Amino acid sequence: MKKRLVVLTGAGISAESGLRTFRGSDGMWEHENIEDVCTPRGYSRDKKRVKDFYNFLRLGLKDHEPNAAHIALAQLEKRLGNEMLLVTQNVDDLHERAGSRQVLHMHGALMRLACERNPNHRFVFTGEETMETRCPFCGAMSRPDIVFFEEQPQYMEEIQDALRECEEFVYIGTSSVVYPAAGFKSYAHSFGAKVTCLNLEVPASDPYTDVCIEGKASIIVPEWCDKFK
Ligand code: APR
Protein backbone atom coordinates (compact mmCIF):
# COMPACT_ATOMS: atom_id res chain seq x y z
CA MET A 1 0.00 0.00 0.00
CA LYS A 2 1.23 3.49 -0.85
CA LYS A 3 2.50 5.24 2.29
CA ARG A 4 1.63 8.79 3.17
CA LEU A 5 4.35 8.93 5.77
CA VAL A 6 7.68 7.19 6.32
CA VAL A 7 9.36 7.84 9.68
CA LEU A 8 13.01 7.04 10.42
CA THR A 9 14.17 7.14 14.03
CA GLY A 10 17.66 7.03 15.51
CA ALA A 11 19.25 6.91 18.94
CA GLY A 12 18.14 10.47 19.77
CA ILE A 13 14.53 9.37 20.20
CA SER A 14 15.55 7.02 23.02
CA ALA A 15 18.02 9.43 24.67
CA GLU A 16 15.42 10.82 27.09
CA SER A 17 14.55 7.25 28.08
CA GLY A 18 18.10 7.07 29.38
CA LEU A 19 19.69 5.07 26.55
CA ARG A 20 23.06 6.25 25.26
CA THR A 21 23.27 7.66 21.76
CA PHE A 22 26.23 6.51 19.67
CA ARG A 23 28.12 9.66 18.75
CA GLY A 24 27.27 12.33 21.29
CA SER A 25 29.59 13.18 24.17
CA ASP A 26 29.54 10.13 26.44
CA GLY A 27 28.08 8.20 23.46
CA MET A 28 28.36 4.43 23.09
CA TRP A 29 31.30 4.61 20.71
CA GLU A 30 33.33 6.59 23.25
CA HIS A 31 33.04 3.62 25.60
CA GLU A 32 33.15 0.64 23.28
CA ASN A 33 35.40 -0.21 20.37
CA ILE A 34 33.21 -0.53 17.24
CA GLU A 35 35.71 -2.95 15.71
CA ASP A 36 35.40 -5.31 18.69
CA VAL A 37 31.63 -5.40 19.19
CA CYS A 38 30.08 -4.38 15.90
CA THR A 39 32.00 -5.93 13.00
CA PRO A 40 32.05 -9.45 11.54
CA ARG A 41 35.80 -9.60 12.32
CA GLY A 42 35.29 -8.70 15.97
CA TYR A 43 32.58 -11.34 16.23
CA SER A 44 34.76 -14.06 14.67
CA ARG A 45 37.64 -13.16 16.99
CA ASP A 46 35.65 -13.32 20.22
CA LYS A 47 32.04 -14.46 19.98
CA LYS A 48 31.54 -14.64 23.71
CA ARG A 49 32.62 -11.05 24.22
CA VAL A 50 30.18 -9.83 21.55
CA LYS A 51 27.29 -11.96 22.86
CA ASP A 52 27.98 -10.67 26.38
CA PHE A 53 27.98 -7.07 25.19
CA TYR A 54 24.52 -7.44 23.61
CA ASN A 55 23.29 -9.49 26.60
CA PHE A 56 24.18 -6.53 28.78
CA LEU A 57 22.23 -4.14 26.54
CA ARG A 58 19.26 -6.54 26.19
CA LEU A 59 18.93 -7.21 29.91
CA GLY A 60 19.32 -3.49 30.65
CA LEU A 61 16.33 -2.53 28.51
CA LYS A 62 13.88 -3.37 31.30
CA ASP A 63 15.23 -0.37 33.24
CA HIS A 64 14.17 2.05 30.49
CA GLU A 65 10.68 3.16 29.52
CA PRO A 66 9.35 4.62 26.27
CA ASN A 67 9.10 8.41 26.36
CA ALA A 68 6.52 10.82 24.96
CA ALA A 69 8.09 10.69 21.49
CA HIS A 70 7.73 6.89 21.17
CA ILE A 71 4.16 7.15 22.48
CA ALA A 72 3.22 9.92 20.04
CA LEU A 73 4.45 7.85 17.08
CA ALA A 74 2.47 4.83 18.30
CA GLN A 75 -0.66 7.00 18.49
CA LEU A 76 0.02 8.37 15.01
CA GLU A 77 0.22 4.80 13.72
CA LYS A 78 -3.21 4.11 15.24
CA ARG A 79 -4.55 7.09 13.29
CA LEU A 80 -2.80 6.39 9.97
CA GLY A 81 -2.68 2.57 10.00
CA ASN A 82 -0.96 1.19 6.92
CA GLU A 83 -0.45 4.64 5.47
CA MET A 84 2.49 5.01 7.85
CA LEU A 85 5.75 3.07 7.94
CA LEU A 86 8.03 3.30 10.97
CA VAL A 87 11.66 2.41 10.33
CA THR A 88 14.18 2.53 13.14
CA GLN A 89 17.94 2.25 13.32
CA ASN A 90 17.55 1.48 17.01
CA VAL A 91 17.90 -2.01 18.38
CA ASP A 92 15.91 -1.25 21.55
CA ASP A 93 12.25 -2.23 21.94
CA LEU A 94 10.87 1.12 23.08
CA HIS A 95 8.72 1.68 19.96
CA GLU A 96 7.02 -1.68 20.50
CA ARG A 97 6.56 -1.06 24.21
CA ALA A 98 4.99 2.32 23.40
CA GLY A 99 2.42 0.47 21.29
CA SER A 100 3.78 0.63 17.72
CA ARG A 101 2.73 -2.51 15.89
CA GLN A 102 4.73 -2.30 12.69
CA VAL A 103 8.36 -1.39 13.24
CA LEU A 104 11.14 -2.25 10.81
CA HIS A 105 14.40 -2.60 12.74
CA MET A 106 16.81 -2.04 9.88
CA HIS A 107 19.90 -2.52 12.12
CA GLY A 108 18.46 -5.55 13.91
CA ALA A 109 16.88 -5.92 17.34
CA LEU A 110 18.14 -6.84 20.79
CA MET A 111 14.97 -8.82 21.51
CA ARG A 112 15.70 -11.23 18.66
CA LEU A 113 18.54 -13.58 17.86
CA ALA A 114 19.64 -14.73 14.43
CA CYS A 115 21.18 -17.94 13.15
CA GLU A 116 24.83 -18.20 12.18
CA ARG A 117 24.06 -20.55 9.31
CA ASN A 118 20.83 -19.28 7.77
CA PRO A 119 20.20 -15.50 7.62
CA ASN A 120 16.44 -16.12 7.28
CA HIS A 121 16.27 -17.79 10.68
CA ARG A 122 15.41 -15.20 13.35
CA PHE A 123 13.61 -15.69 16.63
CA VAL A 124 12.35 -13.75 19.62
CA PHE A 125 14.77 -13.93 22.53
CA THR A 126 14.64 -12.08 25.84
CA GLY A 127 17.24 -13.84 27.99
CA GLU A 128 20.99 -14.24 28.07
CA GLU A 129 22.60 -15.71 24.97
CA THR A 130 25.40 -18.20 25.66
CA MET A 131 27.80 -20.17 23.47
CA GLU A 132 25.29 -23.03 23.79
CA THR A 133 22.23 -21.11 22.51
CA ARG A 134 21.01 -22.71 19.29
CA CYS A 135 18.77 -21.69 16.40
CA PRO A 136 15.37 -23.34 17.05
CA PHE A 137 14.89 -23.98 13.31
CA CYS A 138 18.13 -25.75 12.39
CA GLY A 139 20.24 -26.22 15.52
CA ALA A 140 23.14 -24.00 14.36
CA MET A 141 24.79 -21.57 16.76
CA SER A 142 22.82 -18.38 17.39
CA ARG A 143 24.23 -14.88 17.04
CA PRO A 144 22.93 -11.46 18.08
CA ASP A 145 20.42 -10.18 15.52
CA ILE A 146 22.47 -7.03 15.16
CA VAL A 147 23.54 -5.70 11.77
CA PHE A 148 27.29 -5.26 12.14
CA PHE A 149 29.15 -2.60 10.16
CA GLU A 150 29.79 -3.92 6.63
CA GLU A 151 26.69 -6.13 6.81
CA GLN A 152 23.53 -5.46 4.84
CA PRO A 153 20.75 -3.66 6.76
CA GLN A 154 17.40 -5.46 6.91
CA TYR A 155 14.14 -4.70 5.02
CA MET A 156 15.90 -2.48 2.46
CA GLU A 157 13.62 -3.37 -0.44
CA GLU A 158 10.46 -2.63 1.54
CA ILE A 159 11.92 0.63 2.84
CA GLN A 160 13.05 1.85 -0.58
CA ASP A 161 9.65 1.03 -2.09
CA ALA A 162 7.96 3.10 0.62
CA LEU A 163 10.41 6.01 0.24
CA ARG A 164 9.75 6.20 -3.50
CA GLU A 165 6.01 6.47 -2.99
CA CYS A 166 5.53 8.41 0.23
CA GLU A 167 4.23 11.96 0.49
CA GLU A 168 6.37 12.82 3.50
CA PHE A 169 9.57 11.49 5.04
CA VAL A 170 10.54 12.53 8.55
CA TYR A 171 13.79 11.65 10.28
CA ILE A 172 14.04 11.93 14.04
CA GLY A 173 17.00 11.84 16.43
CA THR A 174 19.62 10.63 14.02
CA SER A 175 22.99 12.17 13.14
CA SER A 176 22.49 11.00 9.53
CA VAL A 177 26.04 9.81 9.07
CA VAL A 178 25.53 6.06 8.73
CA TYR A 179 24.49 4.80 5.30
CA PRO A 180 22.20 3.64 3.85
CA ALA A 181 19.84 5.34 6.35
CA ALA A 182 21.65 8.66 5.88
CA GLY A 183 20.70 8.54 2.20
CA PHE A 184 16.94 8.11 2.77
CA LYS A 185 16.26 11.86 2.85
CA SER A 186 17.84 12.51 -0.57
CA TYR A 187 16.20 9.40 -2.02
CA ALA A 188 12.71 10.35 -0.79
CA HIS A 189 13.27 13.97 -1.84
CA SER A 190 14.27 12.93 -5.36
CA PHE A 191 10.93 11.12 -5.69
CA GLY A 192 8.99 14.20 -4.58
CA ALA A 193 8.45 13.67 -0.85
CA LYS A 194 8.43 16.53 1.60
CA VAL A 195 11.35 15.93 3.98
CA THR A 196 11.31 16.97 7.65
CA CYS A 197 14.03 16.72 10.29
CA LEU A 198 13.28 16.63 14.04
CA ASN A 199 16.46 16.69 16.10
CA LEU A 200 18.16 18.21 19.11
CA GLU A 201 20.45 20.07 16.73
CA VAL A 202 19.53 20.60 13.09
CA PRO A 203 21.91 21.05 10.15
CA ALA A 204 22.67 24.66 9.14
CA SER A 205 21.34 23.88 5.68
CA ASP A 206 20.58 20.67 3.90
CA PRO A 207 19.51 20.57 0.26
CA TYR A 208 17.19 17.60 0.81
CA THR A 209 15.41 18.74 3.97
CA ASP A 210 12.43 21.07 3.60
CA VAL A 211 11.59 21.62 7.27
CA CYS A 212 13.83 21.43 10.34
CA ILE A 213 12.50 21.51 13.90
CA GLU A 214 15.02 21.73 16.69
CA GLY A 215 14.46 20.47 20.23
CA LYS A 216 14.12 17.47 22.48
CA ALA A 217 12.28 14.57 20.91
CA SER A 218 9.89 14.23 23.88
CA ILE A 219 8.61 17.76 23.15
CA ILE A 220 8.85 18.25 19.39
CA VAL A 221 7.72 14.79 18.24
CA PRO A 222 4.31 14.90 20.02
CA GLU A 223 3.77 18.46 18.76
CA TRP A 224 4.64 17.47 15.21
CA CYS A 225 2.46 14.33 15.34
CA ASP A 226 -0.51 16.37 16.62
CA LYS A 227 -0.26 18.67 13.63
CA PHE A 228 0.13 15.88 11.06
CA LYS A 229 -3.12 15.76 9.12
N1 APR B 1 15.98 14.58 21.11
C1 APR B 1 16.22 14.62 19.78
N2 APR B 1 17.43 14.33 19.22
C2 APR B 1 18.42 14.00 20.07
C3 APR B 1 18.24 13.94 21.47
C4 APR B 1 16.95 14.26 21.98
N3 APR B 1 16.68 14.23 23.29
N4 APR B 1 19.43 13.57 22.03
C5 APR B 1 20.29 13.41 21.03
N5 APR B 1 19.71 13.67 19.84
C6 APR B 1 20.29 13.61 18.49
C7 APR B 1 21.75 14.01 18.42
O1 APR B 1 21.85 15.41 18.24
C8 APR B 1 22.24 13.23 17.21
O2 APR B 1 22.03 13.97 16.00
O3 APR B 1 20.26 12.26 18.10
C9 APR B 1 21.32 12.01 17.18
C10 APR B 1 21.99 10.70 17.57
O4 APR B 1 22.98 10.38 16.63
P1 APR B 1 23.86 9.04 16.74
O5 APR B 1 24.38 8.87 18.12
O6 APR B 1 24.86 9.08 15.64
O7 APR B 1 22.77 7.88 16.51
P2 APR B 1 22.17 7.33 15.15
O8 APR B 1 22.08 8.40 14.12
O9 APR B 1 20.93 6.60 15.50
O10 APR B 1 23.28 6.28 14.72
C11 APR B 1 23.09 5.52 13.55
O11 APR B 1 25.07 4.29 13.99
O12 APR B 1 26.64 3.02 15.19
C12 APR B 1 25.49 3.02 14.51
O13 APR B 1 24.15 1.18 14.33
C13 APR B 1 24.29 2.35 15.10
O14 APR B 1 21.97 2.64 14.49
C14 APR B 1 23.17 3.32 14.84
C15 APR B 1 23.70 4.15 13.70
Side-chain angles (χ1 to χ4, degrees):
M1 181 183 189
K2 195 171 155 166
K3 305 290 174 201
R4 271 177 65 198
L5 175 66
V6 177
V7 179
L8 171 72
T9 62
I13 197 166
S14 296
E16 289 163 79
S17 296
L19 292 176
R20 273 207 171 106
T21 62
F22 292 95
R23 293 176 182 76
S25 68
D26 200 33
M28 181 79 83
W29 297 143
E30 266 187 15
H31 295 266
E32 289 293 334
N33 186 336
I34 296 184
E35 171 71 23
D36 287 344
V37 298
C38 203
T39 64
R41 281 179 307 284
Y43 182 64
S44 307
R45 262 199 310 270
D46 192 345
K47 294 184 180 184
K48 182 167 181 326
R49 162 145 170 46
V50 176
K51 287 173 199 274
D52 283 347
F53 173 67
Y54 293 104
N55 283 334
F56 174 75
L57 297 183
R58 179 182 312 110
L59 298 175
L61 282 181
K62 64 175 184 336
D63 303 326
H64 302 270
E65 296 299 324
N67 65 54
H70 299 102
I71 293 166
L73 288 174
Q75 286 167 348
L76 189 61
E77 183 197 63
K78 280 205 183 83
R79 191 145 62 80
L80 297 182
N82 287 334
E83 292 186 314
M84 169 177 163
L85 179 68
L86 176 57
V87 180
T88 187
Q89 298 168 91
N90 299 344
V91 295
D92 67 54
D93 61 350
L94 298 183
H95 283 305
E96 285 87 347
R97 280 164 54 203
S100 287
R101 293 280 159 260
Q102 297 170 36
V103 188
L104 299 187
H105 284 271
M106 63 180 290
H107 290 171
L110 285 168
M111 293 305 195
R112 283 191 318 235
L113 292 183
C115 171
E116 279 208 350
R117 193 188 298 151
N118 186 330
N120 296 321
H121 292 171
R122 292 204 174 89
F123 52 100
V124 172
F125 190 83
T126 54
E128 191 168 336
E129 185 189 15
T130 68
M131 295 297 280
E132 278 69 52
T133 309
R134 292 286 175 267
C135 168
F137 303 106
C138 70
M141 185 187 264
S142 65
R143 58 160 277 180
D145 187 19
I146 299 294
V147 176
F148 297 144
F149 283 94
E150 299 158 33
E151 292 185 323
Q152 188 62 22
Q154 299 171 15
Y155 310 108
M156 282 307 293
E157 213 175 294
E158 195 174 338
I159 297 168
Q160 280 167 341
D161 286 349
L163 289 171
R164 274 196 304 276
E165 294 187 332
C166 66
E167 290 169 20
E168 183 154 358
F169 170 67
V170 56
Y171 58 105
I172 303 171
T174 175
S175 57
S176 294
V177 294
V178 174
Y179 283 83
F184 290 175
K185 58 184 175 179
S186 60
Y187 192 69
H189 188 266
S190 71
F191 284 92
K194 176 181 174 188
V195 177
T196 300
C197 167
L198 306 180
N199 209 59
L200 196 57
E201 61 235 354
V202 298
S205 79
D206 178 272
Y208 310 111
T209 304
D210 303 295
V211 179
C212 283
I213 302 172
E214 194 168 73
K216 287 184 171 183
S218 66
I219 310 279
I220 59 177
V221 174
E223 284 173 2
W224 183 85
C225 289
D226 276 351
K227 284 190 205 131
F228 189 85
K229 297 275 180 273

